[in-house]
Amino acid sequence: MNHKVTKIVRRTLLAAGLAAGVSGVALAHHSYSAFDMVGTKTLTGTVTKFEWSNPHSWIWIDVKNEQGAVENWGIEGMSPNYLARRGWSRTTLKAGDQITITIHPLRGNEKGGSFLSATKSTGEALVNGGAITEP
């Protein structure tokens, strides 16, 4: 095989390998297999922290369980870029805010989930798929 053909074959194989490797990472990153995507759960509690971070935002809330004990739940949201285009900012939620939040819960009774929507005690609705709506 001449040098030019060998070079083309190597580049093609390298490009194919990179494409295959990157696609696997992209698919793994966007998997929702950890969440019960059929079921929903609604929680009412107090925001302890709102992480405006990439690749996903996080809402941490304290929720009283059926026995009255406080449990801290971690709720995964969309990226700041995605949320900002829908009216959110890093100050949309603050520690101490009272919210009722609906999630796709984690499988296996873990204390977390994937954000669907929330309502602040002021009546302000926070949604994942569209703009924030005022009461």
Side-chain angles (χ1 to χ4, degrees), residues 11 14 34 36 44 47 54 61 65 94 100 106-107 120 131:
R11 284 186 180 172
L14 178 62
D36 175 0
T44 299
V47 174
N54 280 310
I61 63 170
N65 67 19
K94 297 175 220 49
T100 298
L106 284 169
R107 297 182 188 274
K120 294 171 75 170

Side-chain angles (χ1 to χ4, degrees), residues 68-123:
V70 175
E71 301 172 331
N72 193 246
W73 285 67
I75 312 303
E76 183 176 9
M78 297 301 287
S79 71
N81 181 36
Y82 180 93
L83 293 174
R85 287 183 278 134
R86 286 153 180 81
W88 290 60
S89 76
R90 66 178 59 252
T91 60
T92 296
L93 290 171
K94 297 175 220 49
D97 285 350
Q98 299 295 310
I99 64 169
T100 298
I101 189 167
T102 302
I103 62 172
H104 285 302
L106 284 169
R107 297 182 188 274
N109 291 328
E110 299 288 329
K111 305 297 181 238
S114 177
F115 180 87
L116 291 173
S117 65
T119 304
K120 294 171 75 170
S121 61
T122 61

Side-chain angles (χ1 to χ4, degrees), residues 1-14:
M1 202 181 282
N2 74 33
H3 180 65
K4 197 172 204 175
V5 173
T6 303
K7 196 173 187 179
I8 291 170
V9 170
R10 282 185 186 165
R11 284 186 180 172
T12 303
L13 290 173
L14 178 62

